[in-house]
Amino acid sequence: MHQTRVLGVRVDCVDMPSALERIEQLVDDGGPHLVATVNPEFVMRARKDPDFARVLESADLCLPDGVGVVWAARRQGCDMRHPVAGVDLVQPLAAMCARRGWRLFLLGAAPGDANEGLEVNAHSGAPDPSHDVETLHRIHDHHPDVILVAYGAPAQEFWIDRLKNRLGVSVAIGVGGAFDYLTGRVPRAPVWMRRARMEWLARLVRQPWRVRRMAVLPAYAIKVLRSPK
Ligand code: UDP
């Protein structure tokens, strides 16, 4: 599988079908495997947080999450057109689990009802170690093959890294705010905005507190433009 580095952080050059194919293979291989959804905030954080950089480096698949990463990866010769965002991954991944008879566990922000035909279980929990015993108990009860962890970055990646050998799952994926969109708690940007690659703007308007996190984006763009192709 072709991959590149965006300001030092690995990004796999995949689209949705090849990402799903790779995840299917990772589940077949048995785990634990970490799948990260790399966006510009991840990249900027990894540059100043060696521990986060180490966790991303240990990931088995680094998905290009967002237009900022796709743009930078394409500059490095990656042949990809669209981001593979956590929120877009959940539905086809659930379909794949249903098809293969794999169990899916949703951890983090309260998700909605299970899809018909899909064995799914959910628990909110929290990333703090004081919740580990209860959370592991819930997970072990369900014997999932795949777990989606929605604690936001970097908490979800650190959580997976800390507990991956005790989860008993084949694949763990940090999906950020994906469940908030699935349940409709946070509406997604209209299709025209997504097509115009402006979903980030809709997120900013709906959740203005994001401005602090997005403050790294201009620095990210400048660093990418200055980095050798
Ligand atoms: N969250 C949680 N427990 C926590 C902290 C966060 O369940 O202790 C959830 C929160 O409800 C939200 C998600 O983690 O659903 C983080 O979403 P955010 O939009 O910040 O993530 P992004 O997609 O931007 O990485």
Side-chain angles (χ1 to χ4, degrees), residues 27-45:
V27 182
D28 274 330
D29 289 350
H33 297 288
L34 164 64
V35 176
T37 52
V38 177
N39 64 26
E41 285 104 316
F42 277 51
V43 173
M44 294 306 272
R45 186 176 186 105

Side-chain angles (χ1 to χ4, degrees), residues 90-130:
V90 177
Q91 198 274 331
L93 183 70
M96 182 173 83
C97 287
R99 179 170 53 81
R100 295 291 312 264
W102 289 334
R103 291 172 169 224
L104 184 63
F105 196 98
L106 312 185
L107 182 68
D113 290 336
N115 278 4
E116 204 177 286
L118 174 68
E119 279 205 60
V120 69
N121 208 328
H123 177 59
S124 294
D128 188 83
S130 63

Side-chain angles (χ1 to χ4, degrees), residues 108-109 126-127 150-153 175-177 180 185 203 209-210 213:
Y151 286 148
V175 292
D180 296 338
R185 199 178 73 76
R203 287 187 104 181
W209 50 265
R210 286 186 180 275
R213 272 163 51 177

Side-chain angles (χ1 to χ4, degrees), residues 31-73:
H33 297 288
L34 164 64
V35 176
T37 52
V38 177
N39 64 26
E41 285 104 316
F42 277 51
V43 173
M44 294 306 272
R45 186 176 186 105
R47 288 172 68 81
K48 54 179 190 87
D49 180 347
D51 208 23
F52 190 50
R54 172 190 63 76
V55 174
L56 291 184
E57 201 58 39
S58 78
D60 298 275
L61 183 61
C62 289
L63 300 174
D65 183 351
V67 289
V69 166
V70 170
W71 164 68

Side-chain angles (χ1 to χ4, degrees), residues 8-226:
V9 174
R10 206 185 86 222
V11 174
D12 290 297
C13 303
V14 288
D15 54 11
M16 185 59 80
S18 53
L20 286 164
E21 223 171 86
R22 179 80 184 118
I23 293 170
E24 186 165 13
Q25 196 177 46
L26 291 175
V27 182
D28 274 330
D29 289 350
H33 297 288
L34 164 64
V35 176
T37 52
V38 177
N39 64 26
E41 285 104 316
F42 277 51
V43 173
M44 294 306 272
R45 186 176 186 105
R47 288 172 68 81
K48 54 179 190 87
D49 180 347
D51 208 23
F52 190 50
R54 172 190 63 76
V55 174
L56 291 184
E57 201 58 39
S58 78
D60 298 275
L61 183 61
C62 289
L63 300 174
D65 183 351
V67 289
V69 166
V70 170
W71 164 68
R74 281 175 64 95
R75 277 176 56 89
Q76 309 288 355
C78 238
D79 179 23
M80 59 166 105
R81 282 175 194 286
H82 304 290
V84 184
V87 60
D88 297 318
L89 184 72
V90 177
Q91 198 274 331
L93 183 70
M96 182 173 83
C97 287
R99 179 170 53 81
R100 295 291 312 264
W102 289 334
R103 291 172 169 224
L104 184 63
F105 196 98
L106 312 185
L107 182 68
D113 290 336
N115 278 4
E116 204 177 286
L118 174 68
E119 279 205 60
V120 69
N121 208 328
H123 177 59
S124 294
D128 188 83
S130 63
H131 291 254
D132 286 0
V133 173
E134 161 78 0
T135 302
L136 285 172
H137 184 69
R138 296 288 199 106
I139 294 168
H140 294 159
D141 261 3
H142 185 63
H143 299 293
D145 300 284
V146 179
I147 184 168
L148 305 180
V149 185
Y151 286 148
Q156 60 201 15
E157 283 73 26
F158 285 134
W159 186 92
I160 294 170
D161 182 61
R162 186 161 55 78
L163 295 173
K164 63 176 182 247
N165 292 318
R166 296 164 63 193
L167 296 174
V169 303
S170 296
V171 171
I173 312 177
V175 292
F179 302 162
D180 296 338
Y181 294 107
L182 291 182
T183 57
R185 199 178 73 76
V186 178
R188 268 197 98 176
V191 173
W192 70 265
M193 271 186 112
R194 281 191 253 159
R195 288 217 178 107
R197 306 188 169 187
M198 284 177 11
E199 184 159 21
W200 60 272
L201 182 61
R203 287 187 104 181
L204 187 59
V205 171
R206 286 187 175 129
Q207 301 174 307
W209 50 265
R210 286 186 180 275
V211 73
R212 277 192 63 197
R213 272 163 51 177
M214 288 186 176
V216 299
L217 295 182
Y220 169 82
I222 290 166
K223 282 195 193 307
V224 169
L225 287 170
R226 283 193 183 149

